[in-house]
Amino acid sequence: MMHRGGSMGEWMDEIITRFSEQAALVWAEQETLEDDAMFRRLWNLAGETGLCRVGIPEAHGGVGGGGPEISEMLRRLTLKTGNLGLPLALMISQLVAHFMVGALGSEDQKAAWLPPMAEGRFPSAFAVSEPKVGAHPGKLSTHAEKIDGQWCLAGKKSYISNGPMAGLVVTIAVVGEEKGRKQFSAFLLGGDTPGVDRSDAMALPFFRPALHGNIRLDGVSLGAGTVLGHPGEAYAELVLPFRRYEDAMMMGCVVGAFRFVLDRLGDAVANPDDAVCETAGTLAAHVTALERVARVSADLTADPSPEAVEESTALLLHFRQVAGCCRTLVASLEESGFPLDDPSRAVMEDLAASSGIAANIARAKQVKLGRACLAAGKGL
């Protein structure tokens, strides 16, 4: 339990230190462990040390907090461990717990799911995207039909973070159509539900040991009490806001990773010249600024207003641009004779490989923002 009178930050430092000490023993076996075995052991440690309790109310076994606390936990964890894989898995699970089950669930749903999530009995996942069509609402085809009081689900979902081992998968399915637009509901799908096939796993070359996979739903039958939120409104209630929450939380991971690398650069070379120091100073300034952007973005997750959404978009676009500059500066320092140690190099490789995720979405947002800006300038 979190010490009464102690700050959330102090508690985080204590449990993250305890986690990292034990996790080091698992990482020492990485050459002999498969990713799924490594992930399971690290996830169990996360549950045992209390990391999974952040963002879940005390009444359901958590320590409270919301977006800012989840982001800060992810930042500190990445900074301490120099690993982005487990923070990514935790990010998805805590988003599901706080912004989905915690925010939209009935009292029965919260009582059923939040306590085991706080204990870290399993990771959770959010299943929206489908093979070849992504998350485009007009092209999603996984559907749910109500027959004799039960919801029957069928279809395929892809690119699911935590999918292979998720004990809870919040699944988006088409439940009808109105005026030519599909209507979606979200379903609380237990990982061991009959008819769920998770054999089609995916291997990504970054964020090790995070697990990703596809699921096939065939003959899945769920009770009426498994619908999360308002029936037919899941795309607006869950899917659209989720990207903003995910972007904000991921900023915490990224700034923790950059700070991890920056803190280790000082031991690399003695007596660097002024040009190298200038580059390092620019990097340090950028990282400090990104930490501030990450905190503000996390704060904004509690505000659903259009103004907050617009501000979040601007901060995200700025963050992505400056993060790219930081990667370039680290590469420049390495070329100047600052060799990265193996943990730092692994972090930078993860950041580089993942920088293309949602790049097209970010570009589209940037174009939209630019058009609005230019139109306003012309008085259109």
Side-chain angles (χ1 to χ4, degrees):
M1 297 293 291
M2 187 170 68
H3 298 301
R4 295 293 178 183
S7 71
M8 178 74 84
E10 291 171 339
W11 176 80
M12 285 183 186
D13 281 342
E14 179 183 331
I15 65 168
I16 288 172
T17 296
R18 190 161 68 248
F19 169 83
S20 64
E21 290 171 350
Q22 298 178 56
L25 301 176
V26 180
W27 280 108
E29 301 178 45
Q30 61 181 304
E31 297 301 327
T32 59
L33 285 177
E34 296 291 335
D35 278 0
D36 57 350
M38 181 180 293
F39 178 85
R40 192 180 298 278
R41 289 177 60 179
L42 290 172
W43 184 267
N44 288 341
L45 279 177
E48 292 167 7
T49 52
L51 289 172
C52 300
R53 297 170 60 205
V54 180
I56 296 177
E58 292 187 36
H60 294 293
V63 294
E69 289 75 21
I70 296 171
S71 176
E72 180 62 10
M73 181 265 288
L74 297 171
R75 184 192 71 82
R76 293 181 187 225
L77 180 61
T78 308
L79 172 58
K80 185 71 174 180
T81 63
N83 172 253
L84 282 159
L86 187 72
L88 171 66
L90 274 168
M91 177 185 78
I92 298 299
S93 275
Q94 303 319 109
L95 286 176
V96 170
H98 181 76
F99 291 104
M100 296 185 186
V101 180
L104 297 173
S106 67
E107 291 305 313
D108 286 345
Q109 289 171 338
K110 293 176 186 178
W113 289 107
L114 291 180
M117 295 173 80
E119 293 174 8
R121 294 187 201 171
F122 48 76
S124 301
F126 186 38
V128 182
S129 295
E130 297 180 5
K132 299 182 180 180
V133 301
H136 191 292
K139 298 179 180 179
L140 294 177
S141 60
T142 296
H143 59 278
E145 182 180 4
K146 201 168 189 179
I147 302 175
D148 296 330
Q150 294 288 109
W151 285 101
C152 299
L153 277 67
K156 299 177 182 178
K157 294 293 182 180
S158 59
Y159 305 107
I160 307 169
S161 297
N162 294 343
M165 292 189 180
L168 169 64
V169 183
V170 176
T171 304
I172 301 299
V174 180
V175 293
E177 187 171 314
E178 184 174 314
K179 297 180 180 179
R181 298 174 69 91
K182 292 179 179 178
Q183 296 177 308
F184 300 88
S185 287
F187 295 88
L188 296 169
L189 178 67
D192 57 355
T193 302
V196 177
D197 178 5
R198 294 191 284 187
S199 60
D200 189 10
M202 298 167 56
L204 295 182
F206 48 86
F207 290 156
R208 189 181 184 216
L211 301 175
H212 313 271
N214 306 325
I215 61 173
R216 181 191 301 270
L217 308 174
D218 185 10
V220 172
S221 180
L222 300 175
T226 60
V227 176
L228 177 65
H230 295 92
E233 299 181 17
Y235 210 89
E237 279 189 335
L238 281 85
V239 180
L240 293 179
F242 181 78
R243 171 59 70 180
R244 181 162 73 104
Y245 302 150
E246 185 179 33
D247 287 336
M249 298 304 103
M250 194 63 198
M251 290 181 194
C253 299
V254 171
V255 295
F258 277 126
R259 182 63 68 181
F260 174 85
V261 173
L262 186 60
D263 287 352
R264 299 168 79 91
L265 282 175
D267 298 329
V269 175
N271 301 317
D273 61 31
D274 286 353
V276 168
C277 288
E278 182 180 2
T279 301
T282 303
L283 174 61
H286 282 339
V287 172
T288 299
L290 288 182
E291 288 170 337
R292 177 61 180 166
V293 172
R295 287 193 294 271
V296 173
S297 296
D299 289 341
L300 286 170
T301 58
D303 186 351
S305 69
E307 293 78 12
V309 173
E310 183 177 346
E311 185 177 356
S312 296
T313 298
L315 290 173
L316 168 66
L317 296 175
H318 177 71
F319 188 97
R320 291 181 69 102
Q321 292 286 339
V322 179
C325 292
C326 289
R327 293 195 302 273
T328 300
L329 289 167
V330 172
S332 177
L333 286 170
E334 193 168 19
E335 292 173 359
S336 299
F338 271 69
L340 297 181
D341 60 12
D342 289 342
S344 296
R345 183 170 289 105
V347 166
M348 293 308 302
E349 288 174 354
D350 271 2
L351 290 173
S354 63
S355 62
I357 295 176
N360 289 336
I361 295 175
R363 191 174 298 112
K365 289 180 178 179
Q366 196 156 346
V367 170
K368 182 179 179 180
L369 183 63
R371 289 190 187 282
C373 177
L374 294 175
K378 293 179 179 179
L380 299 178

